[in-house]
Amino acid sequence: ATAGMEVGYAWVAQAAGVAGVQLSSVSAAAASLGTLSSLWMGLGPWPQVQNVRRLGTLEAINMQTLSCALLNGGAWFIYTFLIDVFEAVPVNGFNTVVTLGLLAVVFSSVQGGEKRQAALHATVPVAVLVALAAYGYVGGKHSAEAHNIGMLTSTIGLLLYAAPLSEVPTMLGTRSAGTLSLFGVSASLVCSMSWLLVGILSKSAPIATPNLIGVVLSLLQLSIVVVLPSAAAVKAAKKA
């Protein structure tokens, strides 16, 4: 991982030198873009939520993605607070609140067993986040417990990037992109690329590694969205 960080840093430094740009400027721009794209990513499920409101069914959304988004935003909020990275606290707090709001909209838009399913996808992440907050409170700032939360948070980030691919069997069966949207996938790609660059420039493997995997997974999802029609388009074609 260390060798990879050095190689990546050297490539970025060389590219910045050719462009005549200071590395500090590149790092600041990447962090700003990362923050903005994180806000964008927080709104990524919005098209799916609108489909749930219109159709009244969870078939229009990937609930695993929404649950992972809630976990990811809340876990990063807790972790960045514990390590005093206060500039990252607001965006993660915003994403947590937005995702809770999206889950509330989904809950109010479905009935019966699907309503219970939507409630489960909200209450389990909230319970995990409460447990993480309590664990971090006991350990205090910059503690071993905070470090453990950071490791878990990186894993949750990977789950968020991978969650949309849980629909692959459905995609293959329907020959469609499922509930993937260009809006959400684009946000995921820009966000992971931005934070990958931040991780490389800060030589931080915990930041760079999950976002490198996120770039690969986001590119895979983008190729699916570009090549295959949406699930809604497939259903409309069948009805025609």
Side-chain angles (χ1 to χ4, degrees):
T2 302
M5 287 294 96
E6 293 297 337
V7 171
Y9 186 90
W11 284 352
V12 174
Q14 184 177 12
V18 171
V21 180
Q22 299 238 345
L23 273 181
S24 58
S25 299
V26 175
S27 181
S32 297
L33 182 59
T35 299
L36 291 174
S37 59
S38 293
L39 293 172
W40 178 13
M41 193 170 175
L43 294 169
W46 178 250
Q48 297 181 17
V49 172
Q50 288 302 301
N51 287 335
V52 174
R53 289 184 65 190
R54 181 169 56 87
L55 301 173
T57 175
L58 294 184
E59 292 180 4
I61 193 169
N62 186 322
M63 290 301 294
Q64 286 78 14
T65 298
L66 209 52
S67 293
C68 286
L70 178 56
L71 268 176
N72 186 68
W76 278 110
F77 177 83
I78 294 166
Y79 177 58
T80 51
F81 177 80
L82 288 173
I83 61 173
D84 292 332
V85 184
F86 294 119
E87 60 271 23
V89 171
V91 64
N92 288 298
F94 172 83
N95 283 347
T96 302
V97 172
V98 165
T99 308
L100 280 170
L102 294 178
L103 281 163
V105 172
V106 169
F107 178 81
S108 65
S109 302
V110 295
Q111 302 295 327
E114 287 196 335
K115 187 177 285 287
R116 290 189 292 273
Q117 186 180 345
L120 185 64
H121 276 90
T123 53
V124 171
V126 168
V128 172
L129 291 174
V130 169
L132 281 180
Y135 180 66
Y137 177 79
V138 170
K141 293 194 172 186
H142 303 284
S143 61
E145 287 82 0
H147 173 75
N148 292 337
I149 290 174
M151 297 298 290
L152 179 60
T153 300
S154 294
T155 303
I156 292 171
L158 288 177
L159 291 175
L160 175 59
Y161 287 126
L165 296 177
S166 64
E167 288 188 66
V168 165
T170 302
M171 293 174 186
L172 293 175
T174 60
R175 295 184 182 275
S176 74
T179 62
L180 286 178
S181 70
L182 183 60
F183 180 83
V185 172
S186 299
S188 176
L189 179 59
V190 174
C191 186
S192 55
M193 289 178 67
S194 301
W195 288 111
L196 171 62
L197 185 55
V198 170
I200 290 173
L201 291 177
S202 61
K203 298 183 179 180
S204 172
I207 295 177
T209 302
N211 283 293
L212 173 60
I213 298 173
V215 169
V216 174
L217 293 175
S218 296
L219 285 171
L220 176 59
Q221 293 166 38
L222 182 62
S223 67
I224 292 173
V225 170
V226 170
V227 172
L228 296 176
S230 68
V234 171
K235 286 183 178 180
K238 287 181 178 180
K239 290 180 179 179

